[in-house]
Amino acid sequence: MIVKQQLIFILYSLCASVFKVAGTKSKAKGSQAQFPITQNVTVVEGGTANMTCRVDYNDNTSLQWSNPAQQTLFFGDKKALRDNRIELMRASSQELTIRIGDVSLSDEGQYTCSLFTMPVKTTKAFLHVLGVPGRPEITGFTKPAMEGDIITLTCTTAGSKPAAKIRWFRNDKEVQGTKEVNATGKSFTVRSSLQFQVDRRDDGVAYTCSVEHVSLSNPYMTTEVLEVHYAPHLEITHSLIIPQEGQYFKLECVSIGNPIPEPVLWSKDGGELPDIERMIVEGRELTITTLNKTDNGTYRCEASNHLGTSTAEYVLFVYAKDFPGPTTDPNALGQHGPDHALIGGVVAVVVFITLCLIIVLGRYLARHKGTYLTHEAKGAEDAPDADTAIINAEGNHVHAEEKKEYFI
């Protein structure tokens, strides 16, 4: 009986030992089979990157971070590389997190996390660094530009990664430019050019260059306003449509040009103003205080800048004081009067149609008149002699009324 109890105890001890050894081997195998877990990180140049390495289970095996040059940064909680930008955030048996501050483009690359088992297990994590584009600059502006010139505006931004996108705007409307991208180390320099011929409509127009990039929450913009010089153009406006004797009358010389054309010179019928007491010139305005018949004539204003000279004319006709006058402005009538060619064409068509109707009606009357005479002489043409013809002709008078009915 005692021997039997000893045998049972020995078997129990052996089983316990076997299970213990098996458990220990399984635990060690699980530790060696796992790999460290990492994630890729994207950061803007000048920002901060947190690099984290984790394991699900670790039996006090050390974790290590290395940079793209395979230099050890941290081994567990021990700093291995002297770089004040790199610091330890968390170190345990299951996690190793480090922080890299003031990140530059040179920090970009593959970082390695190592788990020192037998053999060593490693996992890669890629650090992406976004290069922030510089503020755009516009070159090529000629101040001032001359009407007719061909100019090329160029917008440049440097330091972007990936390459930035440039857009052009003429005031608020987008226009297309020509893009050029050049690599400078790990970053890019981007240029966009806009070429066009300048005219007076470009004077005062704002050209804006906009730079867009994934690293920017809002685009960078810069704007230049184009100044264009062009020759003058003049027009005369007047205060009265129907000027009459005794009225106050004003002419204004409206000028368009850059630089502003001045001074404005007034003349009448090719000579000086005849009555400077009643004809007062103030800048661009000519005022006649009291109109009379002697003021009739052609008034001209003239102004110039360094690109040219322009003139404008106004024909003044002064009506009698009590005369109602025409319903339209004589100067406007001269510019926008009736179309005489059109009126003449209409009259010619009417005359032509009338002549055609007269000819057709005449031919119709002539044909029916001939038929009447023929019927009247019917029977005479076949008579054997003159007496018989007369008798036959007289006999036809009996039917004269019926023949008249044909004619009607």
Side-chain angles (χ1 to χ4, degrees), residues 3 11 28 38 45 83 85 87 107 196 198 200 228-229 238 319 397:
V3 174
L11 289 173
T38 61
E45 184 180 13
D83 189 338
R85 298 179 307 124
E87 58 183 353
D107 293 321
F196 56 94
V198 176
R200 62 187 61 196
V228 181
H229 281 190
H238 44 92
Y319 293 89
H397 284 291

mmCIF file of all heavy atoms in Angstrom, residues 3 11 28 38 45 83 85 87 107 196 198 200 228-229 238 319 397:
data_model
loop_
_atom_site.group_PDB
_atom_site.id
_atom_site.type_symbol
_atom_site.label_atom_id
_atom_site.label_comp_id
_atom_site.label_asym_id
_atom_site.label_seq_id
_atom_site.Cartn_x
_atom_site.Cartn_y
_atom_site.Cartn_z
ATOM 1 N N VAL A 3 3.933 1.476 -1.006
ATOM 2 C CA VAL A 3 4.649 1.519 -2.294
ATOM 3 C C VAL A 3 3.747 2.120 -3.380
ATOM 4 O O VAL A 3 4.166 2.911 -4.208
ATOM 5 C CB VAL A 3 5.096 0.096 -2.685
ATOM 6 C CG1 VAL A 3 5.706 0.083 -4.079
ATOM 7 C CG2 VAL A 3 6.091 -0.434 -1.672
ATOM 8 N N LEU A 11 4.567 9.916 -10.101
ATOM 9 C CA LEU A 11 3.928 10.205 -11.376
ATOM 10 C C LEU A 11 3.344 11.623 -11.409
ATOM 11 O O LEU A 11 3.421 12.355 -12.408
ATOM 12 C CB LEU A 11 2.813 9.185 -11.632
ATOM 13 C CG LEU A 11 3.288 7.757 -11.958
ATOM 14 C CD1 LEU A 11 2.093 6.806 -12.018
ATOM 15 C CD2 LEU A 11 4.050 7.737 -13.268
ATOM 16 N N ALA A 28 8.193 31.547 -24.073
ATOM 17 C CA ALA A 28 9.393 32.050 -24.729
ATOM 18 C C ALA A 28 9.195 32.109 -26.239
ATOM 19 O O ALA A 28 9.593 33.052 -26.918
ATOM 20 C CB ALA A 28 10.590 31.162 -24.374
ATOM 21 N N THR A 38 4.842 49.718 -35.714
ATOM 22 C CA THR A 38 5.123 51.155 -35.909
ATOM 23 C C THR A 38 4.133 51.736 -36.910
ATOM 24 O O THR A 38 3.377 51.004 -37.566
ATOM 25 C CB THR A 38 6.549 51.370 -36.439
ATOM 26 O OG1 THR A 38 6.672 50.719 -37.712
ATOM 27 C CG2 THR A 38 7.592 50.818 -35.474
ATOM 28 N N GLU A 45 7.684 70.714 -42.231
ATOM 29 C CA GLU A 45 9.030 71.186 -41.904
ATOM 30 C C GLU A 45 8.962 72.236 -40.789
ATOM 31 O O GLU A 45 8.167 73.166 -40.843
ATOM 32 C CB GLU A 45 9.691 71.775 -43.147
ATOM 33 C CG GLU A 45 11.121 72.216 -42.942
ATOM 34 C CD GLU A 45 11.728 72.792 -44.204
ATOM 35 O OE1 GLU A 45 10.969 73.071 -45.160
ATOM 36 O OE2 GLU A 45 12.958 72.974 -44.249
ATOM 37 N N ASP A 83 21.739 64.713 -29.832
ATOM 38 C CA ASP A 83 20.947 65.636 -30.666
ATOM 39 C C ASP A 83 19.863 66.207 -29.775
ATOM 40 O O ASP A 83 18.944 65.506 -29.357
ATOM 41 C CB ASP A 83 20.343 64.904 -31.870
ATOM 42 C CG ASP A 83 19.699 65.856 -32.871
ATOM 43 O OD1 ASP A 83 19.334 66.990 -32.481
ATOM 44 O OD2 ASP A 83 19.541 65.478 -34.045
ATOM 45 N N ARG A 85 17.456 67.939 -30.339
ATOM 46 C CA ARG A 85 16.106 67.954 -30.895
ATOM 47 C C ARG A 85 15.347 66.664 -30.584
ATOM 48 O O ARG A 85 14.133 66.619 -30.695
ATOM 49 C CB ARG A 85 16.155 68.145 -32.415
ATOM 50 C CG ARG A 85 16.782 69.457 -32.857
ATOM 51 C CD ARG A 85 16.817 69.568 -34.389
ATOM 52 N NE ARG A 85 17.463 68.399 -34.985
ATOM 53 C CZ ARG A 85 16.899 67.623 -35.905
ATOM 54 N NH1 ARG A 85 15.680 67.891 -36.330
ATOM 55 N NH2 ARG A 85 17.549 66.584 -36.413
ATOM 56 N N GLU A 87 14.194 63.678 -28.022
ATOM 57 C CA GLU A 87 13.999 63.416 -26.600
ATOM 58 C C GLU A 87 13.072 62.219 -26.393
ATOM 59 O O GLU A 87 12.295 61.858 -27.292
ATOM 60 C CB GLU A 87 13.421 64.647 -25.898
ATOM 61 C CG GLU A 87 12.116 65.135 -26.465
ATOM 62 C CD GLU A 87 11.602 66.401 -25.786
ATOM 63 O OE1 GLU A 87 12.187 66.826 -24.786
ATOM 64 O OE2 GLU A 87 10.597 66.956 -26.261
ATOM 65 N N ASP A 107 15.754 65.174 -42.137
ATOM 66 C CA ASP A 107 15.303 64.128 -41.199
ATOM 67 C C ASP A 107 14.416 63.092 -41.875
ATOM 68 O O ASP A 107 14.094 62.063 -41.275
ATOM 69 C CB ASP A 107 14.524 64.767 -40.036
ATOM 70 C CG ASP A 107 15.408 65.626 -39.154
ATOM 71 O OD1 ASP A 107 16.566 65.226 -38.917
ATOM 72 O OD2 ASP A 107 14.948 66.692 -38.711
ATOM 73 N N PHE A 196 1.316 88.637 -72.141
ATOM 74 C CA PHE A 196 0.181 89.244 -72.846
ATOM 75 C C PHE A 196 0.582 90.615 -73.364
ATOM 76 O O PHE A 196 1.585 91.198 -72.929
ATOM 77 C CB PHE A 196 -1.034 89.371 -71.913
ATOM 78 C CG PHE A 196 -0.766 90.139 -70.653
ATOM 79 C CD1 PHE A 196 -1.030 91.494 -70.566
ATOM 80 C CD2 PHE A 196 -0.227 89.502 -69.536
ATOM 81 C CE1 PHE A 196 -0.778 92.198 -69.403
ATOM 82 C CE2 PHE A 196 0.025 90.193 -68.365
ATOM 83 C CZ PHE A 196 -0.253 91.546 -68.301
ATOM 84 N N VAL A 198 -0.263 94.523 -73.691
ATOM 85 C CA VAL A 198 -0.930 95.494 -72.825
ATOM 86 C C VAL A 198 -1.793 96.442 -73.654
ATOM 87 O O VAL A 198 -1.378 96.914 -74.708
ATOM 88 C CB VAL A 198 0.127 96.297 -72.033
ATOM 89 C CG1 VAL A 198 -0.541 97.372 -71.190
ATOM 90 C CG2 VAL A 198 0.948 95.372 -71.153
ATOM 91 N N ARG A 200 -5.178 99.624 -72.948
ATOM 92 C CA ARG A 200 -5.668 100.562 -71.929
ATOM 93 C C ARG A 200 -6.622 99.909 -70.934
ATOM 94 O O ARG A 200 -6.787 100.389 -69.824
ATOM 95 C CB ARG A 200 -6.316 101.775 -72.598
ATOM 96 C CG ARG A 200 -7.527 101.460 -73.460
ATOM 97 C CD ARG A 200 -7.980 102.711 -74.219
ATOM 98 N NE ARG A 200 -6.917 103.185 -75.091
ATOM 99 C CZ ARG A 200 -6.898 104.399 -75.637
ATOM 100 N NH1 ARG A 200 -7.903 105.240 -75.404
ATOM 101 N NH2 ARG A 200 -5.889 104.773 -76.406
ATOM 102 N N VAL A 228 -0.827 101.383 -66.937
ATOM 103 C CA VAL A 228 -0.628 101.471 -68.379
ATOM 104 C C VAL A 228 -0.780 102.923 -68.826
ATOM 105 O O VAL A 228 -1.769 103.580 -68.487
ATOM 106 C CB VAL A 228 -1.645 100.587 -69.141
ATOM 107 C CG1 VAL A 228 -1.408 100.678 -70.644
ATOM 108 C CG2 VAL A 228 -1.547 99.145 -68.675
ATOM 109 N N HIS A 229 0.187 103.409 -69.577
ATOM 110 C CA HIS A 229 0.093 104.737 -70.167
ATOM 111 C C HIS A 229 -0.404 104.613 -71.604
ATOM 112 O O HIS A 229 0.052 103.743 -72.357
ATOM 113 C CB HIS A 229 1.459 105.432 -70.146
ATOM 114 C CG HIS A 229 1.798 106.006 -68.805
ATOM 115 N ND1 HIS A 229 2.865 106.849 -68.595
ATOM 116 C CD2 HIS A 229 1.193 105.852 -67.593
ATOM 117 C CE1 HIS A 229 2.915 107.192 -67.305
ATOM 118 N NE2 HIS A 229 1.909 106.606 -66.687
ATOM 119 N N HIS A 238 -22.616 118.561 -73.252
ATOM 120 C CA HIS A 238 -23.227 119.892 -73.193
ATOM 121 C C HIS A 238 -24.422 119.877 -72.254
ATOM 122 O O HIS A 238 -25.057 118.835 -72.043
ATOM 123 C CB HIS A 238 -23.653 120.363 -74.588
ATOM 124 C CG HIS A 238 -24.354 119.301 -75.391
ATOM 125 N ND1 HIS A 238 -25.718 119.151 -75.390
ATOM 126 C CD2 HIS A 238 -23.861 118.326 -76.191
ATOM 127 C CE1 HIS A 238 -26.049 118.144 -76.171
ATOM 128 N NE2 HIS A 238 -24.944 117.610 -76.669
ATOM 129 N N TYR A 319 -30.991 128.937 -80.979
ATOM 130 C CA TYR A 319 -32.340 129.195 -81.484
ATOM 131 C C TYR A 319 -32.907 130.454 -80.834
ATOM 132 O O TYR A 319 -32.434 130.916 -79.784
ATOM 133 C CB TYR A 319 -33.257 128.010 -81.182
ATOM 134 C CG TYR A 319 -32.882 126.768 -81.948
ATOM 135 C CD1 TYR A 319 -31.963 125.867 -81.408
ATOM 136 C CD2 TYR A 319 -33.439 126.497 -83.198
ATOM 137 C CE1 TYR A 319 -31.600 124.715 -82.104
ATOM 138 C CE2 TYR A 319 -33.085 125.358 -83.891
ATOM 139 C CZ TYR A 319 -32.163 124.471 -83.349
ATOM 140 O OH TYR A 319 -31.816 123.350 -84.039
ATOM 141 N N HIS A 397 -73.734 96.512 -136.414
ATOM 142 C CA HIS A 397 -74.089 97.549 -135.448
ATOM 143 C C HIS A 397 -75.247 97.124 -134.590
ATOM 144 O O HIS A 397 -75.485 97.668 -133.523
ATOM 145 C CB HIS A 397 -74.411 98.886 -136.144
ATOM 146 C CG HIS A 397 -73.192 99.601 -136.597
ATOM 147 N ND1 HIS A 397 -72.282 100.163 -135.738
ATOM 148 C CD2 HIS A 397 -72.733 99.847 -137.859
ATOM 149 C CE1 HIS A 397 -71.309 100.734 -136.434
ATOM 150 N NE2 HIS A 397 -71.550 100.567 -137.729
#
